Amino acid sequence: MSPAIQTSAPPPVLVHSASAAEFPPSPPLSPPDCRTSPRLAMAAAALRARLNAHISRMYAQGVVEEETFEQLREDGTASEVARLFINDAYEILHDIDIRMEEPEVDIDEVEALTQQLMECASSVGAQQVKLACMHFGDFYAIKCKQGCLVSLDLVRNLYCIVRNDVEIMMQLEDMIAACGPK
């Protein structure tokens, strides 16, 4: 005897006769904000504390000058100016590197680039970078290429320190903003 094959009827098709007007669209989802989510408020507060500690450390270590950077923060332009510093200083350092590799280095071009880099560093209060640029200029004035290259390494290293610290600051600010309004 062969087993009986049972077939079941397909599931019934549900037909909904209501018009779309009976079911209004759902309201758009909005991101939760700190006023309605205690966890987000706590996260934002913890991130603000990390941000303040990070900036205080930047001041204590002389990465950026407190007076200049605080003014930028009060104006709400610290992140924008920091981004400009990061991009412009990178390009200027690259241009200086190219000029320094040439057999005949153009003094005027390198001096002009060094001045631009000093102005760029001053915009965010990166005094150590500015001082290292001055040190680089001293070696350049006496035409000591090896001294220039060593001091250019110092400029580059100090630039990297400032860049890393302001990038961390901007990441923390972005994370705080993602938590919603204060």
Side-chain angles (χ1 to χ4, degrees), residues 4-34:
I5 299 177
Q6 292 184 345
T7 59
S8 61
V13 176
L14 298 176
V15 177
H16 187 60
S17 62
S19 67
E22 290 180 46
F23 298 101
S26 300
L29 294 176
S30 60
D33 65 58
C34 295

PDB file of all heavy atoms in Angstrom, residues 4-34:
ATOM      1  N   ALA A   4      -0.512   7.597   1.354  1.00  0.00           N
ATOM      2  CA  ALA A   4      -1.422   8.581   0.758  1.00  0.00           C
ATOM      3  C   ALA A   4      -0.766   9.950   0.781  1.00  0.00           C
ATOM      4  O   ALA A   4      -0.218  10.366   1.789  1.00  0.00           O
ATOM      5  CB  ALA A   4      -2.739   8.613   1.525  1.00  0.00           C
ATOM      6  N   ILE A   5      -0.823  10.580  -0.323  1.00  0.00           N
ATOM      7  CA  ILE A   5      -0.276  11.938  -0.405  1.00  0.00           C
ATOM      8  C   ILE A   5      -1.414  12.886  -0.144  1.00  0.00           C
ATOM      9  O   ILE A   5      -2.432  12.870  -0.829  1.00  0.00           O
ATOM     10  CB  ILE A   5       0.338  12.199  -1.792  1.00  0.00           C
ATOM     11  CG1 ILE A   5       1.467  11.219  -2.029  1.00  0.00           C
ATOM     12  CG2 ILE A   5       0.787  13.625  -1.895  1.00  0.00           C
ATOM     13  CD1 ILE A   5       2.095  11.333  -3.379  1.00  0.00           C
ATOM     14  N   GLN A   6      -1.194  13.641   0.866  1.00  0.00           N
ATOM     15  CA  GLN A   6      -2.222  14.620   1.189  1.00  0.00           C
ATOM     16  C   GLN A   6      -1.783  15.976   0.663  1.00  0.00           C
ATOM     17  O   GLN A   6      -0.659  16.391   0.873  1.00  0.00           O
ATOM     18  CB  GLN A   6      -2.432  14.721   2.693  1.00  0.00           C
ATOM     19  CG  GLN A   6      -3.043  13.499   3.271  1.00  0.00           C
ATOM     20  CD  GLN A   6      -3.314  13.698   4.743  1.00  0.00           C
ATOM     21  OE1 GLN A   6      -2.810  14.609   5.353  1.00  0.00           O
ATOM     22  NE2 GLN A   6      -4.133  12.830   5.297  1.00  0.00           N
ATOM     23  N   THR A   7      -2.639  16.580   0.001  1.00  0.00           N
ATOM     24  CA  THR A   7      -2.358  17.939  -0.467  1.00  0.00           C
ATOM     25  C   THR A   7      -3.243  18.873   0.307  1.00  0.00           C
ATOM     26  O   THR A   7      -4.408  18.588   0.553  1.00  0.00           O
ATOM     27  CB  THR A   7      -2.630  18.092  -1.971  1.00  0.00           C
ATOM     28  OG1 THR A   7      -3.981  17.784  -2.226  1.00  0.00           O
ATOM     29  CG2 THR A   7      -1.691  17.221  -2.780  1.00  0.00           C
ATOM     30  N   SER A   8      -2.650  19.907   0.708  1.00  0.00           N
ATOM     31  CA  SER A   8      -3.459  20.886   1.429  1.00  0.00           C
ATOM     32  C   SER A   8      -3.769  22.022   0.482  1.00  0.00           C
ATOM     33  O   SER A   8      -3.038  22.296  -0.457  1.00  0.00           O
ATOM     34  CB  SER A   8      -2.730  21.391   2.665  1.00  0.00           C
ATOM     35  OG  SER A   8      -1.534  22.019   2.283  1.00  0.00           O
ATOM     36  N   ALA A   9      -4.816  22.643   0.754  1.00  0.00           N
ATOM     37  CA  ALA A   9      -5.232  23.776  -0.069  1.00  0.00           C
ATOM     38  C   ALA A   9      -4.277  24.925   0.174  1.00  0.00           C
ATOM     39  O   ALA A   9      -3.737  25.087   1.270  1.00  0.00           O
ATOM     40  CB  ALA A   9      -6.651  24.178   0.286  1.00  0.00           C
ATOM     41  N   PRO A  10      -4.005  25.720  -0.840  1.00  0.00           N
ATOM     42  CA  PRO A  10      -3.127  26.866  -0.627  1.00  0.00           C
ATOM     43  C   PRO A  10      -3.740  27.799   0.403  1.00  0.00           C
ATOM     44  O   PRO A  10      -4.951  27.829   0.570  1.00  0.00           O
ATOM     45  CB  PRO A  10      -3.037  27.516  -2.000  1.00  0.00           C
ATOM     46  CG  PRO A  10      -4.185  26.993  -2.776  1.00  0.00           C
ATOM     47  CD  PRO A  10      -4.552  25.685  -2.168  1.00  0.00           C
ATOM     48  N   PRO A  11      -2.880  28.546   1.098  1.00  0.00           N
ATOM     49  CA  PRO A  11      -3.436  29.448   2.098  1.00  0.00           C
ATOM     50  C   PRO A  11      -4.338  30.465   1.423  1.00  0.00           C
ATOM     51  O   PRO A  11      -4.128  30.834   0.261  1.00  0.00           O
ATOM     52  CB  PRO A  11      -2.206  30.124   2.712  1.00  0.00           C
ATOM     53  CG  PRO A  11      -1.100  29.887   1.752  1.00  0.00           C
ATOM     54  CD  PRO A  11      -1.462  28.667   0.968  1.00  0.00           C
ATOM     55  N   PRO A  12      -5.344  30.889   2.138  1.00  0.00           N
ATOM     56  CA  PRO A  12      -6.268  31.836   1.525  1.00  0.00           C
ATOM     57  C   PRO A  12      -5.562  33.168   1.264  1.00  0.00           C
ATOM     58  O   PRO A  12      -4.684  33.585   1.999  1.00  0.00           O
ATOM     59  CB  PRO A  12      -7.376  31.993   2.565  1.00  0.00           C
ATOM     60  CG  PRO A  12      -6.754  31.583   3.849  1.00  0.00           C
ATOM     61  CD  PRO A  12      -5.688  30.575   3.490  1.00  0.00           C
ATOM     62  N   VAL A  13      -5.949  33.784   0.214  1.00  0.00           N
ATOM     63  CA  VAL A  13      -5.408  35.087  -0.138  1.00  0.00           C
ATOM     64  C   VAL A  13      -6.244  36.125   0.580  1.00  0.00           C
ATOM     65  O   VAL A  13      -7.468  36.124   0.494  1.00  0.00           O
ATOM     66  CB  VAL A  13      -5.455  35.312  -1.671  1.00  0.00           C
ATOM     67  CG1 VAL A  13      -4.992  36.706  -2.021  1.00  0.00           C
ATOM     68  CG2 VAL A  13      -4.640  34.260  -2.365  1.00  0.00           C
ATOM     69  N   LEU A  14      -5.568  36.964   1.301  1.00  0.00           N
ATOM     70  CA  LEU A  14      -6.293  38.000   2.021  1.00  0.00           C
ATOM     71  C   LEU A  14      -6.507  39.186   1.100  1.00  0.00           C
ATOM     72  O   LEU A  14      -5.566  39.723   0.526  1.00  0.00           O
ATOM     73  CB  LEU A  14      -5.515  38.441   3.259  1.00  0.00           C
ATOM     74  CG  LEU A  14      -5.275  37.357   4.309  1.00  0.00           C
ATOM     75  CD1 LEU A  14      -4.413  37.897   5.429  1.00  0.00           C
ATOM     76  CD2 LEU A  14      -6.592  36.874   4.868  1.00  0.00           C
ATOM     77  N   VAL A  15      -7.703  39.553   0.985  1.00  0.00           N
ATOM     78  CA  VAL A  15      -8.036  40.704   0.154  1.00  0.00           C
ATOM     79  C   VAL A  15      -8.523  41.779   1.085  1.00  0.00           C
ATOM     80  O   VAL A  15      -9.414  41.558   1.900  1.00  0.00           O
ATOM     81  CB  VAL A  15      -9.113  40.345  -0.886  1.00  0.00           C
ATOM     82  CG1 VAL A  15      -9.492  41.566  -1.691  1.00  0.00           C
ATOM     83  CG2 VAL A  15      -8.636  39.217  -1.759  1.00  0.00           C
ATOM     84  N   HIS A  16      -7.894  42.919   0.976  1.00  0.00           N
ATOM     85  CA  HIS A  16      -8.272  44.035   1.839  1.00  0.00           C
ATOM     86  C   HIS A  16      -9.001  45.045   0.985  1.00  0.00           C
ATOM     87  O   HIS A  16      -8.472  45.533  -0.002  1.00  0.00           O
ATOM     88  CB  HIS A  16      -7.019  44.647   2.479  1.00  0.00           C
ATOM     89  CG  HIS A  16      -7.332  45.684   3.490  1.00  0.00           C
ATOM     90  ND1 HIS A  16      -8.069  45.421   4.605  1.00  0.00           N
ATOM     91  CD2 HIS A  16      -6.995  46.985   3.553  1.00  0.00           C
ATOM     92  CE1 HIS A  16      -8.174  46.533   5.309  1.00  0.00           C
ATOM     93  NE2 HIS A  16      -7.537  47.489   4.681  1.00  0.00           N
ATOM     94  N   SER A  17     -10.183  45.332   1.378  1.00  0.00           N
ATOM     95  CA  SER A  17     -10.986  46.232   0.557  1.00  0.00           C
ATOM     96  C   SER A  17     -10.911  47.668   1.028  1.00  0.00           C
ATOM     97  O   SER A  17     -11.517  48.539   0.439  1.00  0.00           O
ATOM     98  CB  SER A  17     -12.447  45.760   0.547  1.00  0.00           C
ATOM     99  OG  SER A  17     -12.956  45.816   1.862  1.00  0.00           O
ATOM    100  N   ALA A  18     -10.174  47.926   2.073  1.00  0.00           N
ATOM    101  CA  ALA A  18     -10.116  49.307   2.579  1.00  0.00           C
ATOM    102  C   ALA A  18      -9.284  50.154   1.639  1.00  0.00           C
ATOM    103  O   ALA A  18      -8.310  49.711   1.057  1.00  0.00           O
ATOM    104  CB  ALA A  18      -9.517  49.327   3.975  1.00  0.00           C
ATOM    105  N   SER A  19      -9.640  51.366   1.536  1.00  0.00           N
ATOM    106  CA  SER A  19      -8.879  52.279   0.675  1.00  0.00           C
ATOM    107  C   SER A  19      -7.661  52.795   1.431  1.00  0.00           C
ATOM    108  O   SER A  19      -7.588  52.737   2.654  1.00  0.00           O
ATOM    109  CB  SER A  19      -9.754  53.444   0.227  1.00  0.00           C
ATOM    110  OG  SER A  19     -10.076  54.240   1.353  1.00  0.00           O
ATOM    111  N   ALA A  20      -6.747  53.345   0.696  1.00  0.00           N
ATOM    112  CA  ALA A  20      -5.511  53.847   1.290  1.00  0.00           C
ATOM    113  C   ALA A  20      -5.785  55.011   2.221  1.00  0.00           C
ATOM    114  O   ALA A  20      -5.019  55.286   3.129  1.00  0.00           O
ATOM    115  CB  ALA A  20      -4.531  54.265   0.194  1.00  0.00           C
ATOM    116  N   ALA A  21      -6.908  55.662   2.029  1.00  0.00           N
ATOM    117  CA  ALA A  21      -7.232  56.821   2.871  1.00  0.00           C
ATOM    118  C   ALA A  21      -7.490  56.401   4.307  1.00  0.00           C
ATOM    119  O   ALA A  21      -7.354  57.199   5.220  1.00  0.00           O
ATOM    120  CB  ALA A  21      -8.426  57.557   2.295  1.00  0.00           C
ATOM    121  N   GLU A  22      -7.887  55.156   4.511  1.00  0.00           N
ATOM    122  CA  GLU A  22      -8.164  54.693   5.862  1.00  0.00           C
ATOM    123  C   GLU A  22      -6.880  54.490   6.660  1.00  0.00           C
ATOM    124  O   GLU A  22      -6.926  54.470   7.887  1.00  0.00           O
ATOM    125  CB  GLU A  22      -8.932  53.369   5.807  1.00  0.00           C
ATOM    126  CG  GLU A  22     -10.331  53.506   5.304  1.00  0.00           C
ATOM    127  CD  GLU A  22     -11.024  52.172   5.290  1.00  0.00           C
ATOM    128  OE1 GLU A  22     -10.939  51.424   6.285  1.00  0.00           O
ATOM    129  OE2 GLU A  22     -11.642  51.863   4.263  1.00  0.00           O
ATOM    130  N   PHE A  23      -5.752  54.325   5.994  1.00  0.00           N
ATOM    131  CA  PHE A  23      -4.494  54.079   6.659  1.00  0.00           C
ATOM    132  C   PHE A  23      -3.503  55.177   6.276  1.00  0.00           C
ATOM    133  O   PHE A  23      -2.804  55.061   5.287  1.00  0.00           O
ATOM    134  CB  PHE A  23      -3.928  52.704   6.291  1.00  0.00           C
ATOM    135  CG  PHE A  23      -4.817  51.580   6.711  1.00  0.00           C
ATOM    136  CD1 PHE A  23      -5.636  50.951   5.791  1.00  0.00           C
ATOM    137  CD2 PHE A  23      -4.847  51.169   8.027  1.00  0.00           C
ATOM    138  CE1 PHE A  23      -6.467  49.927   6.177  1.00  0.00           C
ATOM    139  CE2 PHE A  23      -5.675  50.137   8.416  1.00  0.00           C
ATOM    140  CZ  PHE A  23      -6.495  49.512   7.492  1.00  0.00           C
ATOM    141  N   PRO A  24      -3.432  56.241   7.058  1.00  0.00           N
ATOM    142  CA  PRO A  24      -2.500  57.317   6.709  1.00  0.00           C
ATOM    143  C   PRO A  24      -1.062  56.813   6.842  1.00  0.00           C
ATOM    144  O   PRO A  24      -0.788  55.871   7.594  1.00  0.00           O
ATOM    145  CB  PRO A  24      -2.801  58.402   7.737  1.00  0.00           C
ATOM    146  CG  PRO A  24      -3.428  57.683   8.876  1.00  0.00           C
ATOM    147  CD  PRO A  24      -4.132  56.480   8.280  1.00  0.00           C
ATOM    148  N   PRO A  25      -0.161  57.424   6.080  1.00  0.00           N
ATOM    149  CA  PRO A  25       1.231  56.972   6.167  1.00  0.00           C
ATOM    150  C   PRO A  25       1.792  57.212   7.562  1.00  0.00           C
ATOM    151  O   PRO A  25       1.375  58.122   8.270  1.00  0.00           O
ATOM    152  CB  PRO A  25       1.948  57.817   5.120  1.00  0.00           C
ATOM    153  CG  PRO A  25       1.071  58.992   4.896  1.00  0.00           C
ATOM    154  CD  PRO A  25      -0.332  58.547   5.207  1.00  0.00           C
ATOM    155  N   SER A  26       2.716  56.368   7.924  1.00  0.00           N
ATOM    156  CA  SER A  26       3.377  56.536   9.220  1.00  0.00           C
ATOM    157  C   SER A  26       4.196  57.811   9.194  1.00  0.00           C
ATOM    158  O   SER A  26       4.754  58.187   8.162  1.00  0.00           O
ATOM    159  CB  SER A  26       4.309  55.361   9.498  1.00  0.00           C
ATOM    160  OG  SER A  26       3.577  54.177   9.523  1.00  0.00           O
ATOM    161  N   PRO A  27       4.287  58.475  10.338  1.00  0.00           N
ATOM    162  CA  PRO A  27       5.118  59.683  10.364  1.00  0.00           C
ATOM    163  C   PRO A  27       6.582  59.295  10.161  1.00  0.00           C
ATOM    164  O   PRO A  27       6.989  58.189  10.510  1.00  0.00           O
ATOM    165  CB  PRO A  27       4.886  60.261  11.763  1.00  0.00           C
ATOM    166  CG  PRO A  27       4.388  59.125  12.570  1.00  0.00           C
ATOM    167  CD  PRO A  27       3.701  58.191  11.619  1.00  0.00           C
ATOM    168  N   PRO A  28       7.373  60.182   9.569  1.00  0.00           N
ATOM    169  CA  PRO A  28       8.780  59.843   9.364  1.00  0.00           C
ATOM    170  C   PRO A  28       9.478  59.648  10.702  1.00  0.00           C
ATOM    171  O   PRO A  28       9.139  60.285  11.694  1.00  0.00           O
ATOM    172  CB  PRO A  28       9.347  61.048   8.610  1.00  0.00           C
ATOM    173  CG  PRO A  28       8.380  62.147   8.854  1.00  0.00           C
ATOM    174  CD  PRO A  28       7.052  61.514   9.144  1.00  0.00           C
ATOM    175  N   LEU A  29      10.434  58.744  10.696  1.00  0.00           N
ATOM    176  CA  LEU A  29      11.195  58.493  11.910  1.00  0.00           C
ATOM    177  C   LEU A  29      12.188  59.621  12.110  1.00  0.00           C
ATOM    178  O   LEU A  29      12.873  60.042  11.183  1.00  0.00           O
ATOM    179  CB  LEU A  29      11.934  57.161  11.815  1.00  0.00           C
ATOM    180  CG  LEU A  29      11.062  55.918  11.761  1.00  0.00           C
ATOM    181  CD1 LEU A  29      11.926  54.684  11.577  1.00  0.00           C
ATOM    182  CD2 LEU A  29      10.227  55.794  13.010  1.00  0.00           C
ATOM    183  N   SER A  30      12.249  60.110  13.304  1.00  0.00           N
ATOM    184  CA  SER A  30      13.248  61.137  13.610  1.00  0.00           C
ATOM    185  C   SER A  30      14.230  60.536  14.590  1.00  0.00           C
ATOM    186  O   SER A  30      13.866  59.683  15.400  1.00  0.00           O
ATOM    187  CB  SER A  30      12.585  62.376  14.191  1.00  0.00           C
ATOM    188  OG  SER A  30      11.894  62.038  15.375  1.00  0.00           O
ATOM    189  N   PRO A  31      15.463  60.975  14.511  1.00  0.00           N
ATOM    190  CA  PRO A  31      16.447  60.405  15.430  1.00  0.00           C
ATOM    191  C   PRO A  31      16.102  60.774  16.862  1.00  0.00           C
ATOM    192  O   PRO A  31      15.594  61.869  17.122  1.00  0.00           O
ATOM    193  CB  PRO A  31      17.765  61.045  14.997  1.00  0.00           C
ATOM    194  CG  PRO A  31      17.373  62.256  14.246  1.00  0.00           C
ATOM    195  CD  PRO A  31      16.018  61.999  13.672  1.00  0.00           C
ATOM    196  N   PRO A  32      16.324  59.869  17.777  1.00  0.00           N
ATOM    197  CA  PRO A  32      16.046  60.195  19.176  1.00  0.00           C
ATOM    198  C   PRO A  32      16.983  61.300  19.633  1.00  0.00           C
ATOM    199  O   PRO A  32      18.106  61.418  19.159  1.00  0.00           O
ATOM    200  CB  PRO A  32      16.325  58.888  19.919  1.00  0.00           C
ATOM    201  CG  PRO A  32      17.202  58.107  19.010  1.00  0.00           C
ATOM    202  CD  PRO A  32      16.898  58.555  17.621  1.00  0.00           C
ATOM    203  N   ASP A  33      16.496  62.139  20.505  1.00  0.00           N
ATOM    204  CA  ASP A  33      17.395  63.174  21.019  1.00  0.00           C
ATOM    205  C   ASP A  33      17.579  63.000  22.519  1.00  0.00           C
ATOM    206  O   ASP A  33      16.896  62.219  23.156  1.00  0.00           O
ATOM    207  CB  ASP A  33      16.902  64.581  20.662  1.00  0.00           C
ATOM    208  CG  ASP A  33      15.594  64.942  21.317  1.00  0.00           C
ATOM    209  OD1 ASP A  33      15.541  64.899  22.563  1.00  0.00           O
ATOM    210  OD2 ASP A  33      14.634  65.286  20.615  1.00  0.00           O
ATOM    211  N   CYS A  34      18.510  63.748  23.040  1.00  0.00           N
ATOM    212  CA  CYS A  34      18.899  63.591  24.444  1.00  0.00           C
ATOM    213  C   CYS A  34      17.771  63.937  25.395  1.00  0.00           C
ATOM    214  O   CYS A  34      17.763  63.497  26.530  1.00  0.00           O
ATOM    215  CB  CYS A  34      20.133  64.441  24.734  1.00  0.00           C
ATOM    216  SG  CYS A  34      21.574  63.880  23.828  1.00  0.00           S
TER     217      CYS A  34
END
